Amino acid sequence: MLPVEHNDPINAKILAISEDKIEGFVREPFEEIANRSGVGVEVVMARIAAMLRAGTIRRVRQTLLATNLAEGALVAWKVPEEKIDAAFDWMFQRDPFSGHVVLRSTDTVSAGSDYKLWTTVKAPQGFSLQAHCELLAKKVGAERFRLMPAKGIFTLGVGHVRRKTIEPGSKGDQPAKMIPVQRVALTEHEWDVLLALKREFTPEEVKPSPWVSRAKEAGVSLEEFCGVAEDLNARKIVGRFSTFLEHVKPSVGGVRVTRFNALFHWAVPTGREVETGGEVGRHHILTHCYWREAGPEFRNVNIMAVAHGTDKRLLLEHKAAIDEHLRACEIPVSYTNVFWGGRSEIKPSEISPRVYHEWLSEQGNS
């Protein structure tokens, strides 16, 4: 039986590449992982399939820069305490357009600490994010919600295995460049390819030439499928080919990838968001860094970042190193905070207008 824990030496070599190093669309993704990890391609495929079956890897898929395909936001929800678990379950199980669903808390009572349910939400093109969240609020009994769409993206990746050994203050030589959020319209033909492209892989699909069956699913030749995927990649719609670890729950062997999920908040002066995001986003510990406007409920926080780890104290040291770097850059921070993740479920947010039509019809009939 093959080892399936993330900390097995061979698995760790594979995951250090497969989590977030295969950027864009690649015709032979498993071969690329093998070439870059130094592990034979047959071993790479066998190990990824085994980890996927065991639940160590929760999904294998081609990611998209979905912010360019659908209106999206991080949403903080104020829900009565007695309804919060049911609200969490409803959003995770019954709303395909909610992605990350997380209960968050702060170490002290502070701005926004009564907003305990946090989700990422997408509204497919042609539909309103505000209207979608108003519908969700009625379904779950939320008192209020705060929409925080991304105005710019500085860091977006995972890479939990390779981040385990990063020292506080470790950062890139240059500030992170901001990826602006801009809507892209697709043809029906492109949607056919995209929907087949983004579907999660089953263990049986972890094999050479994995796009052959997806091209058939989309009703096009392999060459046409790859051509459309490469064009979508050039238009900044395709993200990475990634293996996502189960980083919230322990594995079958009781091993955890991470224990703590920290959402860092900073409020900086208007006009300095791009500069600050670049300086924050260059820090290697971060999996996400965004410019988002959180509003007065959160003391006008406008830069947010996420870091994961097994040691809360160490994560706070990483945060302190980022704070010190901002001081060295003479960027004034009027307010900062940390929201800690608790119960958490993660799934890709659906972005298909077709699926939304069907879902909306079901809600009207329920």
Side-chain angles (χ1 to χ4, degrees):
M1 185 171 168
L2 291 173
V4 294
E5 298 294 358
H6 77 276
N7 54 4
D8 169 83
I10 293 174
N11 289 347
K13 284 180 74 174
I14 294 167
L15 291 165
I17 299 301
S18 67
E19 279 196 276
D20 68 346
K21 288 294 186 182
I22 308 301
E23 295 192 11
F25 173 77
V26 178
R27 293 195 179 207
E28 292 289 350
F30 302 112
E31 210 171 276
E32 184 71 12
I33 293 166
N35 291 341
R36 295 183 60 178
S37 66
V39 179
V41 67
E42 294 297 330
V43 175
V44 164
M45 293 187 293
R47 293 295 186 102
I48 289 176
M51 285 189 278
L52 186 56
R53 286 190 179 97
T56 304
I57 291 175
R58 70 176 188 271
R59 61 178 60 90
V60 177
R61 64 185 287 259
Q62 180 71 58
T63 69
L64 307 175
L65 291 175
T67 47
N68 290 345
L69 287 169
E71 186 185 3
L74 178 66
V75 188
W77 303 85
K78 189 175 180 180
V79 182
E81 197 68 37
E82 68 275 11
K83 295 182 178 179
I84 202 159
D85 286 326
F88 182 106
D89 292 338
W90 203 96
M91 294 204 188
F92 172 61
Q93 296 167 5
R94 301 184 60 185
D95 180 28
F97 311 96
S98 292
H100 293 55
V101 183
V102 185
L103 296 184
R104 291 194 178 276
S105 60
T106 53
D107 290 331
T108 60
V109 175
S110 52
S113 59
D114 52 347
Y115 286 75
K116 297 188 184 304
L117 178 61
W118 293 66
T119 65
T120 55
V121 182
K122 298 281 191 306
Q125 291 181 13
F127 298 93
S128 161
L129 189 60
Q130 178 72 26
H132 183 73
C133 288
E134 287 171 0
L135 174 58
L136 294 184
K138 286 178 186 171
K139 293 285 184 182
V140 305
E143 295 171 356
R144 296 187 69 184
F145 61 87
R146 173 70 192 184
L147 285 175
M148 296 172 271
K151 300 185 81 169
I153 304 167
F154 301 93
T155 302
L156 185 58
V158 275
H160 297 303
V161 168
R162 65 182 175 79
R163 283 184 169 87
K164 282 179 175 289
T165 57
I166 288 173
E167 293 292 324
S170 174
K171 58 185 180 294
D173 294 336
Q174 299 294 325
K177 285 190 165 52
M178 188 180 85
I179 303 168
V181 176
Q182 49 200 6
R183 297 286 172 269
V184 177
L186 301 185
T187 65
E188 284 295 310
H189 176 55
E190 288 169 332
W191 272 112
D192 289 339
V193 170
L194 190 77
L195 293 177
L197 178 72
K198 77 181 184 70
R199 185 171 59 75
E200 293 177 25
F201 278 65
T202 64
E204 293 70 34
E205 290 180 301
V206 180
K207 60 185 181 182
S209 303
W211 304 120
V212 171
S213 59
R214 299 299 176 91
K216 188 181 252 185
E217 185 180 313
V220 298
S221 69
L222 176 61
E223 197 55 40
E224 173 69 7
F225 182 92
C226 291
V228 171
E230 285 162 353
D231 180 61
L232 295 175
N233 186 44
R235 290 158 66 190
K236 306 296 184 190
I237 293 169
V238 176
R240 294 178 172 88
F241 186 87
S242 299
T243 61
F244 291 87
L245 286 172
E246 174 51 73
H247 64 276
V248 178
K249 305 174 187 122
S251 70
V252 286
V255 178
R256 285 182 181 271
V257 176
T258 68
R259 290 182 64 85
F260 297 98
N261 161 354
L263 175 62
F264 300 149
H265 282 186
W266 292 273
V268 301
T270 300
R272 301 195 72 173
E273 299 92 346
V274 175
E275 177 192 3
T276 308
E279 295 299 343
V280 171
R282 71 198 288 183
H283 286 78
H284 295 143
I285 191 62
L286 301 176
T287 57
H288 302 74
C289 180
Y290 292 92
W291 170 9
R292 300 184 187 274
E293 298 290 343
E297 298 96 329
F298 296 92
R299 300 257 315 254
N300 297 310
V301 159
N302 46 13
I303 300 296
M304 298 186 185
V306 177
H308 299 261
T310 53
D311 183 331
K312 185 175 181 178
R313 177 192 55 79
L314 184 57
L315 280 175
L316 289 172
E317 288 179 14
H318 280 287
K319 167 72 165 49
I322 298 171
D323 290 341
E324 178 55 39
H325 178 68
L326 294 180
R327 282 192 290 272
C329 294
E330 299 185 345
I331 296 173
V333 176
S334 60
Y335 176 75
T336 186
N337 202 354
V338 182
F339 278 73
W340 298 99
R343 184 185 177 196
S344 174
E345 293 287 357
I346 299 169
K347 65 187 192 297
S349 301
E350 182 55 70
I351 56 170
S352 166
R354 300 172 199 170
V355 175
Y356 198 90
H357 271 294
E358 293 165 8
W359 182 84
L360 207 54
S361 176
E362 289 170 12
Q363 299 313 306
N365 295 329
S366 64

